[in-house]
Amino acid sequence: MSVIERPRSPAMDALLGREIPVLDHGFIRLIDYMGNDDAIVQAARVSYGRGTKSVSDDRALIRYLMRNRHTTPFEMAEIKLHVRLPIFVARQWIRHRMASVNEYSARYSVLDREFYVPRGEATGAQSAVNRQGRGSDFDPAEAELIADIFRSDAERAYDRYLELLNQDEEGNALSGTRTGVARELARINLPLSLYTQWYWKIDLHNLLGFLSLRAHPHAQREIRAYAEEMLKIVAAWVPHTYEAFVDYRRDSYELSRGALEAVRRMLRGESVAPGDVGLSQREWRDLVGKHPA
Ligand SMILES: Cc1cc2nc3c(=O)[nH]c(=O)nc-3n(C[C@H](O)[C@H](O)[C@H](O)COP(=O)(O)OP(=O)(O)OC[C@H]3O[C@@H](n4cnc5c(N)ncnc54)[C@H](O)[C@@H]3O)c2cc1C
């Protein structure tokens, strides 16, 4: 009987249990992982059998799978992370449904006094061109005033939270005659900047989907900070897959029928206007890369 060794990644083994800091109080900690580039290749070869002879090179096979959207081999690798993140980031993150999550319960336990306070260049004005984004930076003095508002409001809400619970930060009663409000109620006025934490387990295919959206310049700066750290983990864990992801997903651009026709006509030396190929001005701007990031 042949024995198959558990696929390992020395880079991931070295990362296990270590906190990677993100934002002011957040972190990502690798709890566990399953598989590596070899495991993806192994899964693909089971399904393709003899058909893989022409693409025997592992890197080439992974690039073929990514290019042709053969997704299930990438689902064979998984990762489990412990993440501490502000609640407003968690609300964006949790929209990615293809993951398993266990979150800290603020009905069961008291939340820590930890808030995200944007500082310096993280404190941007409302963008004039993108309704969903930040524009110009504030000067340092103004940014500090803004940070003070965030911080003092959060501190005050947290003080009132403890008052409602009738306890101090060590868990001692503030008043011997008053009963604390239930934890599940006392929390409801706390700000979205408060940190929560969870265990998050996801397969590599869906992780890459998450990263393609959340490491993108259109994603909010704070969730992007987590996604960028995760990209580094993916690069260390599955280097061939990471390279293929960058080439075929992250740094690529899908062409519509009209866009493809425009590119072909330009390659033949013709001059093309958006209307000639049925593209709107917005689609045309996206194609030539002038859309606001
Ligand atoms: C920059 C940005 C801005 C955003 N703005 C908004 C916003 O203003 N408002 C808002 O509500 N959301 C917003 N979102 C969230 C976005 O619409 C998606 O909900 C989120 O990105 C999760 O994507 P997903 O569904 O592909 O991921 P997952 O939930 O992980 O799903 C992965 C894939 O699995 C499949 N799938 C999973 N669950 C189901 C299901 N129940 N039925 C069918 N197929 C399923 C789909 O193919 C899906 O693509 C924004 C996201 C980004 C990145």
Side-chain angles (χ1 to χ4, degrees):
M1 191 178 74
S2 67
V3 176
I4 299 175
E5 290 279 313
R6 181 191 194 280
R8 304 204 80 94
S9 157
M12 292 294 266
D13 289 342
L15 262 184
L16 279 171
R18 284 182 35 199
E19 273 181 22
I20 300 168
V22 189
L23 303 181
D24 47 5
H25 300 292
F27 64 74
I28 294 171
R29 190 202 324 259
L30 176 64
I31 299 298
D32 208 353
Y33 73 96
M34 181 174 80
N36 56 15
D37 275 337
D38 295 344
I40 294 161
V41 166
Q42 194 184 29
R45 292 220 161 98
V46 164
S47 64
Y48 293 140
R50 284 159 192 265
T52 58
K53 278 199 170 151
S54 58
V55 274
S56 55
D57 172 54
D58 289 357
R59 177 174 172 272
L61 177 53
I62 283 177
R63 293 178 73 78
Y64 168 86
L65 295 170
M66 186 72 72
R67 203 165 54 243
N68 292 287
R69 301 187 197 187
H70 290 297
T71 54
T72 47
F74 299 106
E75 292 171 17
M76 298 296 165
E78 294 201 338
I79 191 167
K80 183 160 64 183
L81 302 172
H82 178 190
V83 188
R84 185 157 75 193
L85 66 175
I87 293 171
F88 73 92
V89 174
R91 287 206 49 189
Q92 297 179 337
W93 193 308
I94 202 71
R95 299 298 308 279
H96 297 264
R97 297 157 291 177
M98 301 306 288
S100 304
V101 185
N102 260 101
E103 187 174 3
Y104 183 93
S105 170
R107 296 183 68 194
Y108 197 81
S109 305
V110 176
L111 289 155
D112 293 332
R113 186 193 282 273
E114 263 162 1
F115 325 101
Y116 169 65
V117 177
R119 307 286 304 271
E121 60 177 26
T123 322
Q126 173 58 46
S127 164
V129 287
N130 177 359
R131 277 170 173 265
Q132 278 209 116
R134 261 164 267 194
S136 56
D137 297 346
F138 289 104
D139 67 58
E142 207 171 348
E144 211 33 60
L145 282 177
I146 292 165
D148 275 347
I149 294 177
F150 281 124
R151 193 174 19 244
S152 57
D153 277 7
E155 292 285 357
R156 184 169 162 276
Y158 192 84
D159 287 342
R160 303 288 273 174
Y161 169 63
L162 291 181
E163 209 176 308
L164 287 169
L165 291 173
N166 188 34
Q167 67 170 68
D168 65 17
E169 269 167 75
E170 279 71 49
N172 306 308
L174 291 173
S175 151
T177 53
R178 202 159 57 79
T179 311
V181 172
R183 285 185 285 272
E184 65 179 12
L185 263 186
R187 65 179 171 165
I188 66 176
N189 278 3
L190 287 169
L192 295 178
S193 60
L194 200 86
Y195 276 83
T196 182
Q197 42 183 303
W198 59 36
Y199 266 39
W200 191 66
K201 182 173 77 67
I202 190 163
D203 65 59
L204 180 58
H205 166 64
N206 282 293
L207 176 62
L208 296 178
F210 176 97
L211 294 175
S212 65
L213 293 169
R214 301 301 183 176
H216 190 276
H218 288 178
Q220 183 164 342
R221 178 190 181 105
E222 285 76 16
I223 196 166
R224 220 163 65 216
Y226 286 85
E228 278 159 12
E229 290 304 328
M230 283 192 265
L231 274 179
K232 291 182 205 160
I233 295 176
V234 171
W237 175 25
V238 281
H240 290 330
T241 301
Y242 174 77
E243 186 197 31
F245 166 71
V246 168
D247 290 349
Y248 297 121
R249 302 268 307 272
R250 195 191 74 179
D251 295 353
S252 77
Y253 182 78
E254 195 168 53
L255 296 182
S256 65
R257 182 197 52 74
L260 188 59
E261 190 188 332
V263 171
R264 284 187 172 137
R265 284 168 66 168
M266 284 178 202
L267 286 172
R268 287 198 299 265
E270 297 172 29
S271 86
V272 192
D276 301 341
V277 287
L279 293 186
S280 68
Q281 290 295 335
R282 172 74 198 256
E283 287 173 303
W284 190 259
R285 278 202 309 275
D286 282 355
L287 178 63
V288 296
K290 288 195 180 142
H291 57 294

